[in-house]
Amino acid sequence: MNRYSDKDLEKLLSAGEPAPAPEGLAQRIKDDIPDDLSLAPAPPTEGPVELAPDPRFGPRFGLRRSLVLAATLVLALGAAVFFQRHRAELAPALFEGPPVGARGTAAAPAAAEGPAPAPQRGDGALNDGAQRDRAEALAEALQPSTPLTEASAPDALRRQGERADRGDVYRSSDDAGSVGAVRQEKLEAAKKELRSRLRQIAPVGDPSEGRGLAPQEPAAAGAGTVEEPRVRGGRDERKSLGKPVVARSRASFDEEIQVTAPLPVFESRGTHSSLSVDSADAEAEQSGADGDMAVVFRPAPEPVAAPPSPPSTGGTGVPNGAAHDAMFFDSAGVHPFVDAEDDALSTFGLDVDTASYTLARRYLRDGDLPPADAVRVEEFVNYFDYGDPPPEPGEGDFALTAEGAPSLYGPGERYHLVRLAIRGRDVASEDRQPSTLTFVVDVSGSMDRENRLGLVKRSLHLLLEQLRPDDRVALVVYGSAGRVVLEPTGNKGRAAAAIDALVPEGSTNAEEGLRLAYALAARHREPGRIHRVILCSDGVANVGETSAEAILQRVRGHAREGIELTTVGFGMGNYNDVLMERLANQGNGRYAYVDGIEEARRIFVTSLTGTLQTLAAEARAQVEWDSEVVSRWRLLGYENRDIADERFRDDTVDAGEIGVGHTVTVLYEVKTHRPLRRRDRLGTLHLRYGSIAAGEMVEQSLDIRGRDLASTWDGASRSLRLAALVAQTAEVLRESFWAKGTDLDDVFRRTQRVATEYPGDTDVAELASLVGTAAKLRGRR
Amino acid sequence: MSHDPTPDAAASRAADERRLLGALAEGDRSAAERLVDLTYGQIFAALTKLTGGDRDLAADLTQETYRKAWRSLGSFDRRSRFGTWLYRIAYNTFLNHIRRPQPLQALDDGSASRLEDPARGQDDRLDRREVAARLRRAVIGLPDELRFTVTARFWGELAVEDIARLENVTGAAIRKRLKNAMARMRLSLGEDAA
């Protein structure tokens, strides 16, 4: 077995004379040198350069750490001595080769003397799963009949190349400091992905969504001989690697696993007992060591985190064995920076949900920090009104604007924050289509807690007052069973009486409630009306005998027929954010969280027209960055809305719905190659959506130019500064890598200042106080 | 190791680099040309190894490497050596190339016979080219972090401390990576011969 020592390998690797470079190469290279080379001045410290700590190992060793290290060494030495003494008994079981002993410490030099440990599968330095992966790859690679060419590189190797490349791109063009960032990012992304995969019992999106690639797709076309089922086309794979979670988890999970399982309930606070990375070892193959966390997922023979339908909670049950007060969230990770040269396109579905902000507000008001997984940056940002102008009459459905400024929180120089605003046309209340609203109200036992049902009833009364005589309301409730309480009626008095009569009862059968509501809505369908099912629930769902996928499929199917689903969340404790958001996504509707009657007023009164009347369906945006100007970019938020670039014009891809008068705000952090000039074009925003007015897919676009950006932070508009502070607050609360080191107190002070520029806007004033609360709570941790 | 420059030569080279970078920062374009002279041979040699001996391809990739380097020069913070930074770009350029879909000619001959065991004392019968080809596959098959480290060390001929600085980790971490990589390669080569 003792074939190659490290020295042999080193010799082999170093073998061969360096080939002399071809003549003329130097000249070719020199001809390419541009005239306007710019180089940063030398770093301030002369002499030996201080190394930043490797993030995997935490901060630089201080005294305490040194002590811990010393203690660890003593223990390790003891263990080594013990091992040496009991070698005879232990060795056969552990090694075939000579023992490593104390020599094999982490810092052992590569050229350590003596024979190296034999390459056993049990070798502690190696990851078993990774070995298998590697072994497969090599077996493939070393087939005599398959020379390793670019075209035929085995898929496993190719994938690895892609992964590696993906990760490296960030390193190549940036400061050394971001290397740790990337690694940390990868690690976090992989962990999150793993967690989310295990939890993702109910596949989301259309099964065809995110699947493979069009045949002409480059990487797919050049792929190797055997198409493994879990291999996506190169582009999708790259996409998902750059943007850690979404594409991959959707694409491959849907395709590989048919799981029948209850609706997903995600635990975020407390322990991740059954969902830790460790427990997934059997299913997850980690390829790589030393923090290389490219994780490949395989379907489990039995769904690991898919217990049979949980018992009905009714407010007292124990869903999935989680603590009674567990809240259920999921995170799609955090977008990393992307090298514009490698990938200049950023594509995602638009989103006008605001639930994440109101949920976080509820937490903060209760004196708690929201769980990081509950924070979605875009939903924070979209909660606020930045005063963007609506389109001029005849200008189309949307007004697009761009602004920016040097980024206050960017990781270095020449970083700019760019704000893109997509402002929908207004429609007067009297001009919206008449609506038939079918409310599905959860009256299960859990709705009795903290008078959730009371809040629902008051909210519905508010809404009722806003309805026009030609609108109709129907009411379905579900507890242990679902039943129709009120057939569609225009009689507000009858509706009010029906709402008043609601009382909490029994367990939770959301499935039946939704089924009845859809049946009712479908029966009363009429052309020229808005048909909307509105689910009011805390999202704690026992879905009867049916799987989550079946419910989601039903919701999807009805959405296609024009009956949309809006979900309105109520309550705290056992609240299921994931389910509510997913349902609204599938139902082409909006997801809101009502943390108090004022939020109900906002949704059902102030912006009722926007809540009901859809302006654009399947709206998606694509920003094409100019890599000559922009060196790297990062989209803030929209992590769970990623769309593969090449599917921007694929209208079967599920995207977002935008109501009339709504504004979608998109923030990017971009780094430019050089100081920005007014005439520079940073990129172009493309918007594509199904225009309800025009009855067809429409595209609009806007160039983002240097002159749109302010040259200093203080010179930026109040809207940009507000958006930046909102986003940064969300970034801190979700513990984004990119917000590490941000002082929330500083954000607080700045938010207070911005609030003075928004006199009369209670939302901004409230934001300031919430940031203050969050800063205090974080300080206490 | 044979490819290690003497400490003096390395130090003077580093000093040259620093001087040229200083001149470049002040806008001296000819300093860029001198930097090319100083570094391109090593980059070309590394790319030749990475590409399995395809010198034409290596030359193209070398040219591409410098093009990218000039473009992203603004982000070079001079904390690591210029040559090290350049190697990282060359390495990425190579990986980008591998990923490119269009069919290209084979980089090396895959029909070579199985790698034999040096323990049998038959080293002299080994075809060097075959060994190199298999070794290259084993290297390319490493996880990225290890692959980068191994190629930077042995094919890019970079010093451990320079790689550490670029990767923003300690020299010990790099040596650990090298050791880990050797173990993996030994395994893959061993399985190959089995």
Side-chain angles (χ1 to χ4, degrees):
Chain A
M1 288 301 290
N2 193 16
R3 289 199 174 82
Y4 295 98
S5 70
D6 283 5
K7 284 222 154 174
D8 289 338
L9 285 172
E10 282 177 15
K11 261 188 216 148
L12 283 170
L13 282 165
S14 312
E17 288 304 307
E23 270 182 39
L25 177 59
Q27 198 50 51
R28 268 162 67 191
I29 295 169
K30 287 175 187 172
D31 289 345
D32 288 339
I33 299 177
D35 290 326
D36 55 342
L37 281 176
S38 68
L39 178 62
T45 48
E46 278 303 325
V49 182
E50 272 211 15
L51 284 177
D54 187 323
R56 286 169 302 168
F57 303 132
R60 218 166 277 132
F61 283 176
L63 179 64
R64 259 173 67 188
R65 276 164 189 278
S66 307
L67 287 173
V68 169
L69 181 70
T72 314
L73 280 174
V74 169
L75 280 176
L77 258 166
V81 170
F82 175 85
F83 180 79
Q84 285 289 355
R85 285 199 186 145
H86 299 268
R87 188 180 154 188
E89 301 99 273
L90 290 172
L94 295 175
F95 296 105
E96 281 178 30
V100 184
R103 188 170 53 77
T105 49
E113 296 300 318
Q120 291 303 305
R121 284 205 171 256
D123 190 331
L126 302 178
N127 174 297
D128 214 30
Q131 274 186 352
R132 214 161 35 237
D133 208 21
R134 182 79 355 81
E136 280 171 19
L138 279 157
E140 216 177 326
L142 298 176
Q143 289 304 316
S145 57
T146 54
L148 181 70
T149 67
E150 281 77 359
S152 69
D155 280 345
L157 289 184
R158 174 183 297 281
R159 277 199 308 280
Q160 205 168 40
E162 285 168 8
R163 276 181 210 138
D165 180 64
R166 192 69 204 171
D168 290 339
V169 168
Y170 315 126
R171 295 179 201 179
S172 71
S173 61
D174 209 325
D175 43 331
S178 78
V179 173
V182 170
R183 196 174 303 126
Q184 186 66 21
E185 187 78 12
K186 271 182 177 172
L187 189 77
E188 288 304 318
K191 274 191 200 159
K192 284 225 162 117
E193 178 170 355
L194 184 50
R195 242 185 273 142
S196 101
R197 282 293 188 99
L198 287 171
R199 295 158 166 185
Q200 196 166 356
I201 305 310
V204 291
D206 194 285
S208 65
E209 189 179 313
R211 190 186 293 259
L213 294 167
Q216 73 275 17
E217 200 45 40
T225 45
V226 184
E227 181 77 352
E228 291 183 37
R230 63 194 160 98
V231 177
R232 294 295 153 271
R235 185 65 184 176
D236 253 4
E237 181 87 353
R238 286 186 50 208
K239 197 74 195 162
S240 61
L241 287 159
K243 298 172 183 172
V245 179
V246 182
R248 254 164 103 193
S249 71
R250 282 194 178 192
S252 34
F253 200 88
D254 283 359
E255 202 160 276
E256 285 156 27
I257 312 179
Q258 302 289 321
V259 188
T260 302
L263 285 167
V265 278
F266 301 158
E267 179 187 355
S268 172
R269 313 183 93 190
T271 58
H272 289 292
S273 51
S274 64
L275 301 169
S276 70
V277 174
D278 288 347
S279 72
D281 277 349
E283 278 69 51
E285 295 195 5
Q286 229 177 291
S287 90
D290 270 296
D292 178 358
M293 287 289 287
V295 177
V296 176
F297 295 92
R298 290 231 168 108
E302 300 286 330
V304 195
S309 293
S312 69
T313 56
T316 54
V318 183
N320 279 4
H324 176 86
D325 273 328
M327 297 283 285
F328 305 112
F329 301 107
D330 188 17
S331 163
V334 176
H335 280 148
F337 270 101
V338 176
D339 193 316
E341 196 164 302
D342 181 64
D343 183 358
L345 295 176
S346 168
T347 313
F348 57 96
L350 297 179
D351 181 8
V352 292
D353 294 348
T354 54
S356 175
Y357 178 76
T358 43
L359 252 168
R361 179 171 72 189
R362 170 69 190 266
Y363 268 101
L364 290 167
R365 281 178 180 169
D366 287 354
D368 287 320
L369 283 171
D373 286 351
V375 177
R376 291 180 287 273
V377 175
E378 69 279 14
E379 297 190 14
F380 271 56
V381 171
N382 281 329
Y383 184 84
F384 295 90
D385 180 1
Y386 302 98
D388 297 297
E392 299 289 325
E395 222 189 27
D397 289 324
F398 291 98
L400 310 181
T401 48
E403 62 172 342
S407 176
L408 193 59
Y409 300 105
E413 281 185 18
R414 296 199 311 282
Y415 280 89
H416 304 266
L417 186 77
V418 175
R419 186 179 80 91
L420 305 174
I422 299 164
R423 165 70 152 93
R425 185 161 55 81
D426 285 320
V427 169
S429 162
E430 57 274 18
D431 291 338
R432 82 163 151 80
Q433 286 172 288
S435 306
T436 302
L437 308 178
T438 309
F439 288 95
V440 190
V441 179
D442 180 351
V443 292
S444 64
S446 64
M447 291 297 285
D448 200 16
R449 301 177 69 191
E450 350 159 86
N451 198 17
R452 288 172 196 177
L453 190 57
L455 186 53
V456 172
K457 285 156 84 170
R458 282 192 288 154
S459 303
L460 293 189
H461 279 301
L462 276 180
L463 171 69
L464 214 52
E465 288 162 21
Q466 299 303 311
L467 294 182
R468 299 191 315 232
D470 54 351
D471 292 326
R472 279 174 219 150
V473 180
L475 194 55
V476 172
V477 298
Y478 64 90
S480 309
R483 66 174 193 282
V484 176
V485 172
L486 183 70
E487 292 273 336
T489 177
N491 183 330
K492 286 189 187 180
R494 273 185 62 206
I499 291 167
D500 281 336
L502 298 177
V503 287
E505 54 180 77
S507 61
T508 314
N509 197 336
E511 180 215 350
E512 195 170 272
L514 278 172
R515 192 171 52 75
L516 282 171
Y518 276 122
L520 192 63
R523 215 165 47 236
H524 293 273
R525 253 183 96 184
E526 288 171 44
R529 295 182 75 87
I530 297 168
H531 293 273
R532 184 70 59 92
V533 170
I534 301 176
L535 174 68
C536 301
S537 168
D538 55 13
V540 179
N542 170 357
V543 294
E545 297 306 308
T546 315
S547 74
E549 175 58 8
I551 278 202
L552 289 166
Q553 240 166 29
R554 173 177 302 150
V555 168
R556 216 160 31 226
H558 285 296
R560 277 194 208 107
E561 292 162 12
I563 304 173
E564 294 161 349
L565 175 68
T566 288
T567 58
V568 186
F570 293 84
M572 201 72 176
N574 262 352
Y575 181 71
N576 192 334
D577 176 61
V578 189
L579 170 61
M580 298 295 275
E581 196 205 7
R582 195 164 289 172
L583 284 168
N585 265 356
Q586 297 295 307
N588 286 356
R590 187 177 168 199
Y591 165 40
Y593 176 81
V594 172
D595 60 342
I597 195 69
E598 69 274 34
E599 185 60 20
R601 191 178 301 280
R602 186 181 146 107
I603 298 165
F604 290 144
V605 178
T606 318
S607 59
L608 177 68
T609 310
T611 303
L612 295 183
Q613 180 82 61
T614 304
L615 178 64
E618 306 300 356
R620 69 285 309 271
Q622 182 167 72
V623 177
E624 184 182 1
W625 296 107
D626 183 345
S627 62
E628 293 290 311
V629 176
V630 171
S631 70
R632 59 200 310 243
W633 54 269
R634 175 171 84 94
L635 172 60
L636 279 74
Y638 296 94
E639 275 85 3
N640 62 6
R641 304 276 169 165
D642 274 352
I643 293 177
D645 294 333
E646 62 278 5
R647 305 192 77 192
F648 177 62
R649 292 200 167 85
D650 177 348
D651 300 325
T652 63
V653 174
D654 189 38
E657 278 61 41
I658 305 178
V660 295
H662 282 163
T663 304
V664 181
T665 300
V666 182
L667 295 174
Y668 280 97
E669 223 162 40
V670 300
K671 185 183 187 187
T672 52
H673 288 296
R674 61 188 79 82
L676 207 53
R677 288 171 300 211
R678 286 179 60 77
R679 63 174 185 280
D680 282 335
R681 190 185 66 94
L682 288 88
T684 305
L685 162 67
H686 300 277
L687 176 69
R688 182 178 174 86
Y689 59 93
S691 167
I692 303 297
E696 60 180 2
M697 294 302 285
V698 174
E699 286 190 23
Q700 287 182 246
S701 65
L702 172 79
D703 278 347
I704 306 158
R705 300 212 167 261
R707 61 169 171 270
D708 297 329
L709 275 64
S711 55
T712 62
W713 168 259
D714 292 323
S717 71
R718 62 175 190 168
S719 52
L720 182 91
R721 281 175 290 131
L722 173 61
L725 293 167
V726 173
Q728 196 63 15
T729 303
E731 285 277 86
V732 172
L733 290 177
R734 73 167 171 167
E735 292 162 12
S736 160
F737 177 83
W738 305 107
K740 272 187 189 144
T742 296
D743 178 7
L744 214 45
D745 281 320
D746 174 62
V747 181
F748 171 49
R749 282 189 293 275
R750 288 176 187 275
T751 311
Q752 278 184 315
R753 278 206 293 278
V754 169
T756 62
E757 297 176 57
Y758 280 90
D761 188 328
T762 49
D763 286 342
V764 181
E766 183 188 55
L767 170 75
S769 95
L770 290 174
V771 177
T773 307
K776 263 191 224 119
L777 290 169
R778 274 177 66 87
R780 216 177 282 161
R781 270 209 317 208
Chain B
M1 256 163 280
S2 61
H3 57 268
D4 269 350
T6 64
D8 282 352
S12 89
R13 213 182 131 136
D16 282 352
E17 253 184 32
R18 268 203 302 279
R19 201 165 36 73
L20 288 172
L21 287 170
L24 193 56
E26 282 162 18
D28 180 0
R29 190 176 177 278
S30 71
E33 299 195 352
R34 307 268 306 283
L35 274 171
V36 171
D37 289 331
L38 204 62
T39 51
Y40 86 102
Q42 202 170 343
I43 294 295
F44 172 77
L47 282 166
T48 306
K49 295 231 171 143
L50 280 166
T51 56
D54 186 335
R55 299 182 65 228
D56 289 339
L57 179 58
D60 286 346
L61 294 181
T62 306
Q63 196 176 359
E64 181 62 27
T65 298
Y66 281 91
R67 275 194 207 126
K68 284 188 185 169
W70 305 136
R71 274 202 296 270
S72 42
L73 196 61
S75 68
F76 174 51
D77 64 4
R78 299 166 72 177
R79 285 190 185 277
S80 63
R81 291 265 310 269
F82 182 71
T84 323
W85 179 73
L86 210 51
Y87 176 76
R88 172 51 97 173
I89 299 178
Y91 174 81
N92 285 334
T93 307
F94 166 72
L95 286 187
N96 263 330
H97 173 78
I98 272 204
R99 208 188 50 209
R100 233 167 265 164
Q102 65 270 27
L104 290 157
Q105 71 217 45
L107 286 183
D108 52 28
D109 181 5
S111 62
S113 62
R114 297 208 162 266
L115 185 57
E116 294 184 45
D117 189 344
R120 291 178 204 155
Q122 295 172 325
D123 298 51
D124 51 336
R125 280 168 47 188
L126 286 177
D127 179 347
R128 279 174 169 233
R129 242 184 85 237
E130 287 173 19
V131 177
R134 299 205 173 281
L135 199 68
R136 174 173 171 269
R137 286 203 192 97
V139 171
I140 302 282
L142 287 170
D144 177 62
E145 201 171 70
L146 303 184
R147 179 176 50 210
F148 172 75
T149 309
V150 165
T151 60
R153 177 77 189 96
F154 296 103
W155 295 351
E157 305 197 353
L158 301 177
V160 165
E161 292 308 322
D162 285 336
I163 304 172
R165 197 158 294 170
L166 180 78
E167 292 279 273
N168 212 19
V169 297
T170 61
I174 293 297
R175 281 188 287 273
K176 184 185 161 197
R177 280 192 205 171
L178 287 171
K179 184 137 185 93
N180 198 343
M182 296 299 172
R184 282 167 179 272
M185 287 169 62
R186 201 161 41 238
L187 179 81
S188 56
L189 291 170
E191 280 186 355
D192 178 33

